[in-house]
Amino acid sequence: MNVDANRDRGILSRADRTYLLGEAEMSHEQSKRNAEARIRRRVVDGILDFDLLVHYLERTDRKQVFERATTDEAFVDGLTAMLAFAYIGLREQGVDFEQVLVPAVESAEEVYAVDQSSTKVSVDVTFEVETTVESTLEGIQSRLADGEPVTPRELFSLVVEHGRDVAVHDRIRLRLADETGRDHVERLAAYLEADVRYANDSLAVLHWEGDDETRNT
């Protein structure tokens, strides 16, 4: 997960990134709402821009963009996150990911065949997902070490049920599903003797007195 807020402007500005990472202090509720509305607009406009990129960006420019996929791990991670963002967003709305994936792959294969060999192809796309619900302690611990958000329930399983020491981390980001998650966060913070602040409605940050970086953001 790329947590460098100082990259050049993309869909998100540097201010957007620091807000999402919980590193920007918002003194007023209206400021938080404005930041969230701004980010939503930019994401929507960014998605709409892909229609232009597919049809009008020169092939040489596209190749230069994606040539880093063979060497740049962060770039590949970003592509994976892009698809994951679309998948979960569509699923939350009850839209099958296959509805966008299949026509995308079909049209892309047809265009690629014409570009590469001037041939016409018939494309058959099969998309299948089988989910097994499980959460390993090692996976949760690894995400904490990487600075990625975990849920209050996942942190609880590490601390209370399995006695893991999580205070070794400078700070812990907690992803909240809704407002009711704050009750879990407050109980965890009290148990861990940690301070807590809410970066936004979906992200809380636990930190301890020694965490100067968090206290100064």
Side-chain angles (χ1 to χ4, degrees), residues 25-54:
E25 199 68 54
M26 294 288 181
S27 56
H28 301 290
E29 189 64 28
Q30 186 61 49
S31 298
K32 293 171 56 178
R33 289 197 293 268
N34 291 344
E36 290 161 359
R38 181 182 68 241
I39 289 170
R40 290 195 301 270
R41 288 195 302 269
R42 287 177 176 167
V43 171
V44 170
D45 287 336
I47 291 172
L48 294 176
D49 281 341
F50 278 103
D51 201 23
L52 290 174
L53 293 173
V54 165

PDB file of all heavy atoms in Angstrom, residues 25-54:
ATOM      1  N   GLU A  25      -5.300  17.471  10.324  1.00  0.00           N
ATOM      2  CA  GLU A  25      -6.198  17.809  11.411  1.00  0.00           C
ATOM      3  C   GLU A  25      -7.310  18.699  10.878  1.00  0.00           C
ATOM      4  O   GLU A  25      -7.066  19.736  10.267  1.00  0.00           O
ATOM      5  CB  GLU A  25      -5.428  18.548  12.507  1.00  0.00           C
ATOM      6  CG  GLU A  25      -6.123  18.545  13.852  1.00  0.00           C
ATOM      7  CD  GLU A  25      -6.177  17.167  14.476  1.00  0.00           C
ATOM      8  OE1 GLU A  25      -5.140  16.522  14.618  1.00  0.00           O
ATOM      9  OE2 GLU A  25      -7.300  16.750  14.806  1.00  0.00           O
ATOM     10  N   MET A  26      -8.545  18.280  11.069  1.00  0.00           N
ATOM     11  CA  MET A  26      -9.702  19.061  10.644  1.00  0.00           C
ATOM     12  C   MET A  26     -10.408  19.581  11.888  1.00  0.00           C
ATOM     13  O   MET A  26     -10.930  18.798  12.682  1.00  0.00           O
ATOM     14  CB  MET A  26     -10.656  18.205   9.807  1.00  0.00           C
ATOM     15  CG  MET A  26     -10.089  17.760   8.472  1.00  0.00           C
ATOM     16  SD  MET A  26      -9.981  19.133   7.306  1.00  0.00           S
ATOM     17  CE  MET A  26      -9.331  18.284   5.855  1.00  0.00           C
ATOM     18  N   SER A  27     -10.430  20.893  12.058  1.00  0.00           N
ATOM     19  CA  SER A  27     -10.980  21.476  13.287  1.00  0.00           C
ATOM     20  C   SER A  27     -12.490  21.601  13.247  1.00  0.00           C
ATOM     21  O   SER A  27     -13.136  21.692  14.287  1.00  0.00           O
ATOM     22  CB  SER A  27     -10.352  22.849  13.540  1.00  0.00           C
ATOM     23  OG  SER A  27     -10.537  23.699  12.416  1.00  0.00           O
ATOM     24  N   HIS A  28     -13.063  21.598  12.038  1.00  0.00           N
ATOM     25  CA  HIS A  28     -14.505  21.767  11.918  1.00  0.00           C
ATOM     26  C   HIS A  28     -15.108  20.608  11.126  1.00  0.00           C
ATOM     27  O   HIS A  28     -14.513  20.112  10.170  1.00  0.00           O
ATOM     28  CB  HIS A  28     -14.846  23.094  11.229  1.00  0.00           C
ATOM     29  CG  HIS A  28     -14.308  24.296  11.952  1.00  0.00           C
ATOM     30  ND1 HIS A  28     -14.812  24.719  13.157  1.00  0.00           N
ATOM     31  CD2 HIS A  28     -13.302  25.138  11.633  1.00  0.00           C
ATOM     32  CE1 HIS A  28     -14.141  25.796  13.553  1.00  0.00           C
ATOM     33  NE2 HIS A  28     -13.222  26.061  12.647  1.00  0.00           N
ATOM     34  N   GLU A  29     -16.315  20.215  11.523  1.00  0.00           N
ATOM     35  CA  GLU A  29     -17.006  19.132  10.830  1.00  0.00           C
ATOM     36  C   GLU A  29     -17.267  19.493   9.373  1.00  0.00           C
ATOM     37  O   GLU A  29     -17.202  18.643   8.488  1.00  0.00           O
ATOM     38  CB  GLU A  29     -18.329  18.831  11.549  1.00  0.00           C
ATOM     39  CG  GLU A  29     -19.032  17.578  11.054  1.00  0.00           C
ATOM     40  CD  GLU A  29     -18.231  16.319  11.309  1.00  0.00           C
ATOM     41  OE1 GLU A  29     -17.448  16.295  12.276  1.00  0.00           O
ATOM     42  OE2 GLU A  29     -18.400  15.361  10.529  1.00  0.00           O
ATOM     43  N   GLN A  30     -17.552  20.772   9.118  1.00  0.00           N
ATOM     44  CA  GLN A  30     -17.804  21.197   7.742  1.00  0.00           C
ATOM     45  C   GLN A  30     -16.566  21.023   6.876  1.00  0.00           C
ATOM     46  O   GLN A  30     -16.663  20.673   5.693  1.00  0.00           O
ATOM     47  CB  GLN A  30     -18.254  22.662   7.718  1.00  0.00           C
ATOM     48  CG  GLN A  30     -18.671  23.161   6.338  1.00  0.00           C
ATOM     49  CD  GLN A  30     -19.844  22.390   5.782  1.00  0.00           C
ATOM     50  OE1 GLN A  30     -20.850  22.195   6.464  1.00  0.00           O
ATOM     51  NE2 GLN A  30     -19.736  21.924   4.547  1.00  0.00           N
ATOM     52  N   SER A  31     -15.381  21.234   7.458  1.00  0.00           N
ATOM     53  CA  SER A  31     -14.139  21.048   6.708  1.00  0.00           C
ATOM     54  C   SER A  31     -13.970  19.591   6.300  1.00  0.00           C
ATOM     55  O   SER A  31     -13.529  19.293   5.182  1.00  0.00           O
ATOM     56  CB  SER A  31     -12.941  21.489   7.550  1.00  0.00           C
ATOM     57  OG  SER A  31     -13.021  22.864   7.862  1.00  0.00           O
ATOM     58  N   LYS A  32     -14.333  18.668   7.186  1.00  0.00           N
ATOM     59  CA  LYS A  32     -14.270  17.243   6.865  1.00  0.00           C
ATOM     60  C   LYS A  32     -15.228  16.903   5.738  1.00  0.00           C
ATOM     61  O   LYS A  32     -14.873  16.187   4.792  1.00  0.00           O
ATOM     62  CB  LYS A  32     -14.593  16.400   8.099  1.00  0.00           C
ATOM     63  CG  LYS A  32     -13.564  16.487   9.210  1.00  0.00           C
ATOM     64  CD  LYS A  32     -14.048  15.808  10.474  1.00  0.00           C
ATOM     65  CE  LYS A  32     -14.428  14.362  10.247  1.00  0.00           C
ATOM     66  NZ  LYS A  32     -14.864  13.696  11.492  1.00  0.00           N
ATOM     67  N   ARG A  33     -16.447  17.429   5.834  1.00  0.00           N
ATOM     68  CA  ARG A  33     -17.435  17.142   4.796  1.00  0.00           C
ATOM     69  C   ARG A  33     -17.001  17.708   3.445  1.00  0.00           C
ATOM     70  O   ARG A  33     -17.202  17.077   2.402  1.00  0.00           O
ATOM     71  CB  ARG A  33     -18.804  17.691   5.194  1.00  0.00           C
ATOM     72  CG  ARG A  33     -19.464  16.917   6.341  1.00  0.00           C
ATOM     73  CD  ARG A  33     -20.952  17.211   6.418  1.00  0.00           C
ATOM     74  NE  ARG A  33     -21.187  18.599   6.811  1.00  0.00           N
ATOM     75  CZ  ARG A  33     -21.353  19.001   8.057  1.00  0.00           C
ATOM     76  NH1 ARG A  33     -21.287  18.122   9.053  1.00  0.00           N
ATOM     77  NH2 ARG A  33     -21.576  20.266   8.335  1.00  0.00           N
ATOM     78  N   ASN A  34     -16.394  18.892   3.471  1.00  0.00           N
ATOM     79  CA  ASN A  34     -15.911  19.494   2.225  1.00  0.00           C
ATOM     80  C   ASN A  34     -14.806  18.653   1.601  1.00  0.00           C
ATOM     81  O   ASN A  34     -14.770  18.456   0.379  1.00  0.00           O
ATOM     82  CB  ASN A  34     -15.398  20.911   2.485  1.00  0.00           C
ATOM     83  CG  ASN A  34     -16.510  21.892   2.828  1.00  0.00           C
ATOM     84  OD1 ASN A  34     -17.691  21.606   2.586  1.00  0.00           O
ATOM     85  ND2 ASN A  34     -16.157  23.023   3.398  1.00  0.00           N
ATOM     86  N   ALA A  35     -13.882  18.163   2.447  1.00  0.00           N
ATOM     87  CA  ALA A  35     -12.782  17.335   1.944  1.00  0.00           C
ATOM     88  C   ALA A  35     -13.310  16.049   1.341  1.00  0.00           C
ATOM     89  O   ALA A  35     -12.870  15.612   0.271  1.00  0.00           O
ATOM     90  CB  ALA A  35     -11.794  17.033   3.077  1.00  0.00           C
ATOM     91  N   GLU A  36     -14.263  15.424   2.004  1.00  0.00           N
ATOM     92  CA  GLU A  36     -14.817  14.170   1.507  1.00  0.00           C
ATOM     93  C   GLU A  36     -15.595  14.371   0.211  1.00  0.00           C
ATOM     94  O   GLU A  36     -15.504  13.555  -0.716  1.00  0.00           O
ATOM     95  CB  GLU A  36     -15.699  13.544   2.586  1.00  0.00           C
ATOM     96  CG  GLU A  36     -14.881  13.029   3.767  1.00  0.00           C
ATOM     97  CD  GLU A  36     -15.703  12.816   5.027  1.00  0.00           C
ATOM     98  OE1 GLU A  36     -16.932  13.095   4.980  1.00  0.00           O
ATOM     99  OE2 GLU A  36     -15.131  12.382   6.043  1.00  0.00           O
ATOM    100  N   ALA A  37     -16.335  15.473   0.112  1.00  0.00           N
ATOM    101  CA  ALA A  37     -17.077  15.769  -1.117  1.00  0.00           C
ATOM    102  C   ALA A  37     -16.114  16.033  -2.271  1.00  0.00           C
ATOM    103  O   ALA A  37     -16.341  15.599  -3.404  1.00  0.00           O
ATOM    104  CB  ALA A  37     -18.001  16.965  -0.901  1.00  0.00           C
ATOM    105  N   ARG A  38     -15.033  16.757  -1.980  1.00  0.00           N
ATOM    106  CA  ARG A  38     -14.023  17.047  -3.012  1.00  0.00           C
ATOM    107  C   ARG A  38     -13.391  15.756  -3.526  1.00  0.00           C
ATOM    108  O   ARG A  38     -13.217  15.575  -4.740  1.00  0.00           O
ATOM    109  CB  ARG A  38     -12.953  17.960  -2.419  1.00  0.00           C
ATOM    110  CG  ARG A  38     -11.858  18.356  -3.406  1.00  0.00           C
ATOM    111  CD  ARG A  38     -10.804  19.208  -2.741  1.00  0.00           C
ATOM    112  NE  ARG A  38     -10.027  18.468  -1.766  1.00  0.00           N
ATOM    113  CZ  ARG A  38      -9.973  18.755  -0.480  1.00  0.00           C
ATOM    114  NH1 ARG A  38     -10.667  19.761   0.026  1.00  0.00           N
ATOM    115  NH2 ARG A  38      -9.233  18.020   0.337  1.00  0.00           N
ATOM    116  N   ILE A  39     -13.072  14.848  -2.621  1.00  0.00           N
ATOM    117  CA  ILE A  39     -12.458  13.579  -3.023  1.00  0.00           C
ATOM    118  C   ILE A  39     -13.433  12.759  -3.861  1.00  0.00           C
ATOM    119  O   ILE A  39     -13.053  12.175  -4.883  1.00  0.00           O
ATOM    120  CB  ILE A  39     -12.005  12.795  -1.774  1.00  0.00           C
ATOM    121  CG1 ILE A  39     -10.798  13.501  -1.138  1.00  0.00           C
ATOM    122  CG2 ILE A  39     -11.650  11.349  -2.132  1.00  0.00           C
ATOM    123  CD1 ILE A  39     -10.427  12.964   0.220  1.00  0.00           C
ATOM    124  N   ARG A  40     -14.697  12.721  -3.464  1.00  0.00           N
ATOM    125  CA  ARG A  40     -15.692  11.974  -4.247  1.00  0.00           C
ATOM    126  C   ARG A  40     -15.794  12.519  -5.667  1.00  0.00           C
ATOM    127  O   ARG A  40     -15.833  11.745  -6.636  1.00  0.00           O
ATOM    128  CB  ARG A  40     -17.062  12.034  -3.563  1.00  0.00           C
ATOM    129  CG  ARG A  40     -17.156  11.236  -2.278  1.00  0.00           C
ATOM    130  CD  ARG A  40     -18.621  11.036  -1.872  1.00  0.00           C
ATOM    131  NE  ARG A  40     -19.325  12.297  -1.680  1.00  0.00           N
ATOM    132  CZ  ARG A  40     -19.385  12.947  -0.519  1.00  0.00           C
ATOM    133  NH1 ARG A  40     -18.753  12.469   0.549  1.00  0.00           N
ATOM    134  NH2 ARG A  40     -20.066  14.067  -0.414  1.00  0.00           N
ATOM    135  N   ARG A  41     -15.835  13.834  -5.802  1.00  0.00           N
ATOM    136  CA  ARG A  41     -15.934  14.436  -7.139  1.00  0.00           C
ATOM    137  C   ARG A  41     -14.718  14.086  -7.987  1.00  0.00           C
ATOM    138  O   ARG A  41     -14.844  13.770  -9.174  1.00  0.00           O
ATOM    139  CB  ARG A  41     -16.063  15.956  -7.026  1.00  0.00           C
ATOM    140  CG  ARG A  41     -17.409  16.445  -6.500  1.00  0.00           C
ATOM    141  CD  ARG A  41     -17.594  17.924  -6.755  1.00  0.00           C
ATOM    142  NE  ARG A  41     -16.522  18.710  -6.144  1.00  0.00           N
ATOM    143  CZ  ARG A  41     -16.574  19.218  -4.917  1.00  0.00           C
ATOM    144  NH1 ARG A  41     -17.632  19.005  -4.146  1.00  0.00           N
ATOM    145  NH2 ARG A  41     -15.570  19.941  -4.443  1.00  0.00           N
ATOM    146  N   ARG A  42     -13.540  14.141  -7.391  1.00  0.00           N
ATOM    147  CA  ARG A  42     -12.321  13.861  -8.146  1.00  0.00           C
ATOM    148  C   ARG A  42     -12.248  12.402  -8.576  1.00  0.00           C
ATOM    149  O   ARG A  42     -11.768  12.089  -9.667  1.00  0.00           O
ATOM    150  CB  ARG A  42     -11.096  14.243  -7.309  1.00  0.00           C
ATOM    151  CG  ARG A  42     -10.918  15.748  -7.217  1.00  0.00           C
ATOM    152  CD  ARG A  42      -9.764  16.150  -6.332  1.00  0.00           C
ATOM    153  NE  ARG A  42      -9.587  17.598  -6.375  1.00  0.00           N
ATOM    154  CZ  ARG A  42      -8.830  18.294  -5.546  1.00  0.00           C
ATOM    155  NH1 ARG A  42      -8.149  17.651  -4.608  1.00  0.00           N
ATOM    156  NH2 ARG A  42      -8.725  19.601  -5.653  1.00  0.00           N
ATOM    157  N   VAL A  43     -12.713  11.501  -7.712  1.00  0.00           N
ATOM    158  CA  VAL A  43     -12.711  10.095  -8.079  1.00  0.00           C
ATOM    159  C   VAL A  43     -13.661   9.851  -9.251  1.00  0.00           C
ATOM    160  O   VAL A  43     -13.321   9.166 -10.226  1.00  0.00           O
ATOM    161  CB  VAL A  43     -13.102   9.213  -6.879  1.00  0.00           C
ATOM    162  CG1 VAL A  43     -13.323   7.768  -7.315  1.00  0.00           C
ATOM    163  CG2 VAL A  43     -12.007   9.263  -5.805  1.00  0.00           C
ATOM    164  N   VAL A  44     -14.862  10.413  -9.179  1.00  0.00           N
ATOM    165  CA  VAL A  44     -15.828  10.251 -10.271  1.00  0.00           C
ATOM    166  C   VAL A  44     -15.274  10.829 -11.562  1.00  0.00           C
ATOM    167  O   VAL A  44     -15.324  10.194 -12.628  1.00  0.00           O
ATOM    168  CB  VAL A  44     -17.172  10.911  -9.913  1.00  0.00           C
ATOM    169  CG1 VAL A  44     -18.093  10.955 -11.129  1.00  0.00           C
ATOM    170  CG2 VAL A  44     -17.853  10.161  -8.772  1.00  0.00           C
ATOM    171  N   ASP A  45     -14.729  12.046 -11.504  1.00  0.00           N
ATOM    172  CA  ASP A  45     -14.164  12.658 -12.712  1.00  0.00           C
ATOM    173  C   ASP A  45     -12.984  11.856 -13.246  1.00  0.00           C
ATOM    174  O   ASP A  45     -12.797  11.739 -14.460  1.00  0.00           O
ATOM    175  CB  ASP A  45     -13.725  14.098 -12.415  1.00  0.00           C
ATOM    176  CG  ASP A  45     -14.910  15.045 -12.264  1.00  0.00           C
ATOM    177  OD1 ASP A  45     -15.985  14.732 -12.817  1.00  0.00           O
ATOM    178  OD2 ASP A  45     -14.775  16.081 -11.586  1.00  0.00           O
ATOM    179  N   GLY A  46     -12.181  11.283 -12.325  1.00  0.00           N
ATOM    180  CA  GLY A  46     -11.055  10.459 -12.752  1.00  0.00           C
ATOM    181  C   GLY A  46     -11.512   9.208 -13.483  1.00  0.00           C
ATOM    182  O   GLY A  46     -10.931   8.813 -14.491  1.00  0.00           O
ATOM    183  N   ILE A  47     -12.575   8.579 -12.977  1.00  0.00           N
ATOM    184  CA  ILE A  47     -13.113   7.390 -13.635  1.00  0.00           C
ATOM    185  C   ILE A  47     -13.638   7.742 -15.024  1.00  0.00           C
ATOM    186  O   ILE A  47     -13.384   7.028 -16.006  1.00  0.00           O
ATOM    187  CB  ILE A  47     -14.223   6.762 -12.777  1.00  0.00           C
ATOM    188  CG1 ILE A  47     -13.620   6.154 -11.497  1.00  0.00           C
ATOM    189  CG2 ILE A  47     -14.995   5.696 -13.554  1.00  0.00           C
ATOM    190  CD1 ILE A  47     -14.642   5.679 -10.484  1.00  0.00           C
ATOM    191  N   LEU A  48     -14.343   8.864 -15.133  1.00  0.00           N
ATOM    192  CA  LEU A  48     -14.863   9.288 -16.433  1.00  0.00           C
ATOM    193  C   LEU A  48     -13.736   9.580 -17.420  1.00  0.00           C
ATOM    194  O   LEU A  48     -13.890   9.373 -18.629  1.00  0.00           O
ATOM    195  CB  LEU A  48     -15.750  10.525 -16.257  1.00  0.00           C
ATOM    196  CG  LEU A  48     -17.043  10.309 -15.470  1.00  0.00           C
ATOM    197  CD1 LEU A  48     -17.776  11.626 -15.275  1.00  0.00           C
ATOM    198  CD2 LEU A  48     -17.951   9.308 -16.161  1.00  0.00           C
ATOM    199  N   ASP A  49     -12.597  10.039 -16.911  1.00  0.00           N
ATOM    200  CA  ASP A  49     -11.463  10.344 -17.787  1.00  0.00           C
ATOM    201  C   ASP A  49     -10.911   9.103 -18.484  1.00  0.00           C
ATOM    202  O   ASP A  49     -10.284   9.211 -19.548  1.00  0.00           O
ATOM    203  CB  ASP A  49     -10.332  11.010 -16.992  1.00  0.00           C
ATOM    204  CG  ASP A  49     -10.614  12.498 -16.755  1.00  0.00           C
ATOM    205  OD1 ASP A  49     -11.449  13.068 -17.476  1.00  0.00           O
ATOM    206  OD2 ASP A  49      -9.988  13.071 -15.840  1.00  0.00           O
ATOM    207  N   PHE A  50     -11.116   7.921 -17.907  1.00  0.00           N
ATOM    208  CA  PHE A  50     -10.590   6.710 -18.538  1.00  0.00           C
ATOM    209  C   PHE A  50     -11.237   6.459 -19.900  1.00  0.00           C
ATOM    210  O   PHE A  50     -10.631   5.832 -20.771  1.00  0.00           O
ATOM    211  CB  PHE A  50     -10.769   5.497 -17.622  1.00  0.00           C
ATOM    212  CG  PHE A  50      -9.689   5.388 -16.591  1.00  0.00           C
ATOM    213  CD1 PHE A  50      -9.914   5.748 -15.282  1.00  0.00           C
ATOM    214  CD2 PHE A  50      -8.422   4.935 -16.953  1.00  0.00           C
ATOM    215  CE1 PHE A  50      -8.909   5.663 -14.334  1.00  0.00           C
ATOM    216  CE2 PHE A  50      -7.403   4.841 -16.010  1.00  0.00           C
ATOM    217  CZ  PHE A  50      -7.643   5.214 -14.700  1.00  0.00           C
ATOM    218  N   ASP A  51     -12.456   6.937 -20.086  1.00  0.00           N
ATOM    219  CA  ASP A  51     -13.082   6.799 -21.396  1.00  0.00           C
ATOM    220  C   ASP A  51     -12.297   7.576 -22.448  1.00  0.00           C
ATOM    221  O   ASP A  51     -12.114   7.122 -23.588  1.00  0.00           O
ATOM    222  CB  ASP A  51     -14.530   7.297 -21.326  1.00  0.00           C
ATOM    223  CG  ASP A  51     -15.394   6.749 -22.438  1.00  0.00           C
ATOM    224  OD1 ASP A  51     -15.047   5.688 -22.992  1.00  0.00           O
ATOM    225  OD2 ASP A  51     -16.415   7.380 -22.766  1.00  0.00           O
ATOM    226  N   LEU A  52     -11.799   8.747 -22.062  1.00  0.00           N
ATOM    227  CA  LEU A  52     -10.959   9.526 -22.969  1.00  0.00           C
ATOM    228  C   LEU A  52      -9.613   8.844 -23.193  1.00  0.00           C
ATOM    229  O   LEU A  52      -9.111   8.796 -24.319  1.00  0.00           O
ATOM    230  CB  LEU A  52     -10.725  10.927 -22.389  1.00  0.00           C
ATOM    231  CG  LEU A  52     -11.922  11.884 -22.362  1.00  0.00           C
ATOM    232  CD1 LEU A  52     -11.546  13.165 -21.637  1.00  0.00           C
ATOM    233  CD2 LEU A  52     -12.391  12.189 -23.778  1.00  0.00           C
ATOM    234  N   LEU A  53      -9.037   8.317 -22.132  1.00  0.00           N
ATOM    235  CA  LEU A  53      -7.723   7.683 -22.242  1.00  0.00           C
ATOM    236  C   LEU A  53      -7.761   6.464 -23.169  1.00  0.00           C
ATOM    237  O   LEU A  53      -6.857   6.259 -23.977  1.00  0.00           O
ATOM    238  CB  LEU A  53      -7.223   7.270 -20.855  1.00  0.00           C
ATOM    239  CG  LEU A  53      -6.902   8.420 -19.893  1.00  0.00           C
ATOM    240  CD1 LEU A  53      -6.588   7.880 -18.508  1.00  0.00           C
ATOM    241  CD2 LEU A  53      -5.739   9.240 -20.412  1.00  0.00           C
ATOM    242  N   VAL A  54      -8.803   5.668 -23.031  1.00  0.00           N
ATOM    243  CA  VAL A  54      -8.917   4.478 -23.875  1.00  0.00           C
ATOM    244  C   VAL A  54      -9.021   4.847 -25.350  1.00  0.00           C
ATOM    245  O   VAL A  54      -8.402   4.210 -26.212  1.00  0.00           O
ATOM    246  CB  VAL A  54     -10.146   3.635 -23.446  1.00  0.00           C
ATOM    247  CG1 VAL A  54     -10.494   2.604 -24.513  1.00  0.00           C
ATOM    248  CG2 VAL A  54      -9.862   2.928 -22.128  1.00  0.00           C
TER     249      VAL A  54
END
